[in-house]
Amino acid sequence: MHVRRMTGGLAAVVTMSLALLGGQATAAPSEEVARSAAARVLTYDASGSAEFRSAVDRGAAIWNESVDAVELRPVASGQRANIRVLADNGWPRALPGSLGNGTVYIGRQAVNQGYNTVRISSHELGHILGLPDRKPGPCSSLMSGSAAGVACTNPYPNAAEKAEVEDDFARVAAGRPVPAPRAVLAGD
């Protein structure tokens, strides 16, 4: 018992001495800090996205390049996805459940009108990540959606949109509530 106390005390003295002599003493990061620094992994199932599969994958990759708090990955076989992505003949829309969970529809109606499929995918995934539509808005705002016009092909979130996603996921990681996402239906 005395040996353990003496060894522990000696280790503390050596650590403090190194700090005082210019060495660097560092504390191990807390578990909470480590958890909040790690990205929350969300899986998506694009098997029902038909001809839009590559646009969905690119939209997910854009979010992965844009934010640190969350990472979108294709779902592994036999697992349940956080996000389902489906193609249909209607207007694109998102039906969020909770932050990071829900269903996205890549609607052919907008594609047939000339809207960019990667922008649509990235925009609708943005709803699942908690972002609302921001209409009217410029092309530089991903969440301006169709209000930016057919000529707009920008699939990237702007700084404010990135920050909002980062903040929402940081709040969830810290156990603080975030506003519930609302369904984003055609025409919203």
Side-chain angles (χ1 to χ4, degrees):
M1 178 81 160
H2 292 288
V3 173
R4 236 185 276 165
R5 279 189 193 159
M6 206 162 133
T7 305
L10 182 60
V13 169
V14 169
T15 302
M16 290 302 295
S17 298
L18 284 174
L20 292 173
L21 294 172
Q24 188 172 358
T26 58
S30 72
E31 187 177 324
E32 183 179 38
V33 170
R35 258 184 296 155
S36 66
R40 178 171 171 204
V41 175
L42 300 175
T43 57
Y44 67 93
D45 179 358
S47 62
S49 64
E51 69 270 27
F52 307 118
R53 178 64 188 253
S54 64
V56 172
D57 290 339
R58 184 65 192 128
I62 286 167
W63 278 106
N64 290 342
E65 296 164 15
S66 300
V67 296
D68 295 323
V70 65
E71 180 182 349
L72 300 172
R73 291 186 194 161
V75 69
S77 179
Q79 289 184 332
R80 184 181 170 133
N82 298 96
I83 305 164
R84 274 186 17 181
V85 184
L86 304 169
D88 73 0
N89 293 325
W91 192 258
R93 60 205 179 278
L95 301 173
S98 58
L99 185 64
N101 297 284
T103 303
V104 164
Y105 292 88
I106 308 294
R108 292 182 183 97
Q109 183 178 353
V111 175
N112 292 341
Q113 289 179 21
Y115 289 96
N116 180 274
T117 58
V118 176
R119 180 172 168 86
I120 292 169
S121 175
S122 188
H123 173 91
E124 298 305 336
L125 288 170
H127 288 309
I128 301 298
L129 298 178
L131 298 176
D133 276 327
R134 301 249 161 68
K135 294 180 180 183
C139 183
S140 60
S141 169
L142 174 63
M143 300 315 291
S144 67
S146 63
V150 175
C152 179
T153 61
N154 170 39
Y156 292 91
N158 64 26
E161 293 162 339
K162 292 176 195 179
E164 190 173 342
V165 169
E166 297 282 13
D167 289 347
D168 284 352
F169 279 90
R171 283 160 69 191
V172 167
R176 294 190 326 254
V178 294
R182 66 179 189 88
V184 182
L185 304 173
D188 274 358

